[in-house]
Amino acid sequence: MTSMTSSDISSGNWLTPPHHRLGLHRVEDVVPCTTIARGEAPARMLVPASEPLDWDLLTVPGPQGGPISAEEFLARTHTDGILVLRGDTILAERYFGEFTSASHHIVMSISKSFAGMLAGVLAAAGLLDLEATVPTYVPELAAGSYAGATVGQLLDMTAAPHYDMSYLEPTAEVHAGDRAAGWRPRRPEDVVGTRPFLAQLRGAGRHGADFQYCSGTTDVLAWVLERAGGAGYGELMRRHLWSWIGAEDDAFVTVDDHGTPYACAGMGMRLRDLARFGRLVLDDGWREGTPVVPADWIARTRRGGHFATTAESDSAAGGTYKNQWWIPGDDHGSFYGVGIFGQYLWLDPQSDVVIAKFSATDQPVADTPAHLDALGAIARAAALTRQEA
């Protein structure tokens, strides 16, 4: 258990080991945030299984390919919390250190997957044209890197801005974007705010020609969604998604000096509520007989994209990307959201299993293939477990 307190973390260290082990679930103490309200509806009931998943007997693939115990996997990946859900039945729920079921945890780039589902809602409502170019909605970007990109290319990460996503390189644009958003101490030459930062980006390759994972692309998408939906991003998220999943608590999203949400990575919530969002998506977007996210949007997402993503560290071998979700191409039709330092939302349609996992790994991106293999193994084991409450 960590001996650090909130006074030990700051904007200068909350993303740096070992301080991130506290910082990732004390974000609201470090970075300005705005609330995404859960609404007035009752929380979706999740019930413990009468025969939970037996961690003592469970093994998963390890980083060297051989089997390791599930306990070793959780320890090696510095797990803060993990929840395994089949239907509305909790087959496993574990918390570590001071992290509890009532704690919020930032989900990092799983935030992108929320944006992808929100886009599907607005597109189905006729508010969002996937073939339109970015300046159709955001003329402020008509002279920049995203000027020729379409909304669909934003969603599939096939826009091609000049943007370096090297997490361990302080001069990379991903770090400059963090500083603009208030996530890291700013330098004298930095712009202030996510959207001024996006507007000053220049240079691009050929949009639509290949996969290029880029956090700035999701922040452009969020800007487009605000203009298409006619409301702020947090309000759109509340109105169309968060108030529908049966969350037990509000979520949050970090904001910059101008109040602009950091849509690419800034959402945070309880572990059970992340699992509830996954349940909604795995249920083809339906919640108590109401279509929240269009089923055909989720079906298109699950079919994957046109370009291989193997070169990207968050991807499975042979994987693709669609609508801000990763598609590993396994025999269960799984798909997932992932964030740095080991945040995962794993959905296995064949097993009907959702796995939500919060972590604080030593490196921003580490052992991704082994992590994915382990989650897939847990989902398959969960499918063989009785789920009666």
Side-chain angles (χ1 to χ4, degrees), residues 142-329:
S145 294
Y146 289 93
T150 67
V151 175
Q153 288 164 352
L154 300 180
L155 279 158
D156 295 347
M157 291 290 183
T158 61
H162 288 174
Y163 197 107
D164 186 350
M165 282 290 294
S166 301
Y167 294 112
L168 300 180
E169 177 49 63
T171 62
E173 279 83 0
V174 67
H175 277 257
D178 280 355
R179 296 194 301 272
W183 274 34
R184 302 178 190 268
R186 292 194 181 106
R187 300 173 178 178
E189 69 273 17
D190 287 336
V191 298
V192 176
T194 294
R195 290 177 180 171
F197 167 74
L198 295 170
Q200 54 88 44
L201 291 175
R202 293 292 184 272
R206 187 159 64 93
H207 299 304
D210 205 350
F211 174 76
Q212 182 183 326
Y213 184 70
C214 175
S215 286
T217 297
T218 305
D219 285 307
V220 172
L221 174 65
W223 201 347
V224 168
L225 296 180
E226 283 195 352
R227 296 289 173 80
Y233 186 76
E235 170 58 18
L236 292 173
M237 192 63 68
R238 181 206 65 79
R239 185 185 303 172
H240 296 293
L241 283 180
W242 197 252
S243 63
W244 288 95
I245 69 169
E248 63 188 37
D249 196 13
D250 299 337
F252 70 79
V253 63
T254 70
V255 294
D256 65 17
D257 300 54
H258 308 294
T260 301
Y262 205 24
C264 67
M267 287 185 68
M269 61 206 64
R270 293 184 181 185
L271 184 66
R272 288 182 182 178
D273 285 342
L274 178 60
R276 287 179 170 100
F277 170 65
R279 190 68 256 171
L280 173 76
V281 176
L282 201 55
D283 289 342
D284 294 326
W286 289 82
R287 172 81 171 100
E288 295 184 343
T290 299
V292 179
V293 179
D296 63 342
W297 181 263
I298 296 172
R300 289 201 301 271
T301 301
R302 288 174 52 185
R303 287 195 291 270
H306 297 296
F307 300 106
T309 58
T310 305
E312 171 57 44
S313 55
D314 284 333
S315 180
T320 64
Y321 192 90
K322 185 70 178 177
N323 292 335
Q324 305 279 299
W325 288 77
W326 300 88
I327 318 299

Side-chain angles (χ1 to χ4, degrees), residues 76-141:
R76 183 182 59 79
T77 57
H78 296 285
T79 304
D80 290 321
I82 186 168
L83 190 148
V84 182
L85 190 67
R86 190 169 185 229
D88 286 332
T89 302
I90 299 173
L91 298 178
E93 186 176 21
R94 304 281 300 280
Y95 299 95
F96 300 86
E98 70 164 36
F99 192 73
T100 73
S101 62
S103 301
H104 285 162
H105 200 292
I106 196 164
V107 302
M108 295 299 186
S109 286
I110 300 175
S111 305
K112 295 177 171 70
S113 300
F114 280 86
M117 290 297 109
L118 177 58
V121 174
L122 297 185
L127 300 173
L128 183 68
D129 180 359
L130 303 186
E131 300 302 318
T133 59
V134 168
T136 303
Y137 296 98
V138 187
E140 295 93 325
L141 296 178

